[in-house]
Amino acid sequence: MTEHVDPVADPETRTVRICADRCTTCIFRPGNLMHLAPGRLARLLAQAIAQEGHIVCHDTLGTGAGSICAGYASHPEGQKRSLALRLVRAGALSATFTGAATTASSSPPLPPSPSQTHIGAAMHKEQS
């Protein structure tokens, strides 16, 4: 059985929500702050990469407007393999950067750049 996860894309606005920063308990922070079972993060990561998907920030689950985890968006393999992140880089979709557990961006979508190869660097640039 597949669990329901809130979508990270809005087909009407052609945008993908991406967390601007890692939340305080991000699964990609050191120390296993979410108390995941041993190997759980590795399995989540492998599954998302294999399916060309992404990991939704746990702080945005159940909000109706999930956001791609900032930790996953900056992961070298994650950013290469995620279809949503590739479509943002290609300019087919726009990115809306969200704060943890929010559904709206406080900053405008990042304009796509064909030469951009690192979503995490773009997120940092957007906030500067």
Side-chain angles (χ1 to χ4, degrees):
M1 181 174 171
T2 305
E3 73 181 76
H4 172 76
V5 176
D6 295 324
V8 298
D10 182 342
E12 290 182 24
T13 61
R14 299 184 55 82
T15 59
V16 174
R17 290 177 294 276
I18 305 169
C19 290
D21 288 307
R22 293 181 191 182
C23 61
T24 57
T25 54
C26 181
I27 61 175
F28 288 92
R29 287 190 185 276
N32 193 13
L33 302 171
M34 289 297 296
H35 309 288
L36 299 177
R40 175 77 172 134
L41 177 57
R43 287 190 302 276
L44 285 169
L45 191 56
Q47 181 180 20
I49 290 169
Q51 295 177 354
E52 297 186 313
H54 47 267
I55 293 175
V56 176
C57 173
H58 67 276
D59 268 356
T60 67
L61 293 173
T63 64
S67 292
I68 296 176
C69 169
Y72 184 78
S74 64
H75 186 277
E77 278 302 304
Q79 63 184 252
K80 277 194 284 185
R81 296 297 307 266
S82 168
L83 179 59
L85 297 175
R86 291 194 327 259
L87 288 171
V88 168
R89 282 195 308 273
L93 298 175
S94 295
T96 298
F97 296 102
T98 63
T102 63
T103 58
S105 173
S106 59
S107 52
L110 180 71
S113 168
S115 63
Q116 179 186 350
T117 59
H118 186 35
I119 290 289
M123 290 178 359
H124 178 71
K125 238 191 225 179
E126 178 73 14
Q127 293 182 327
S128 298

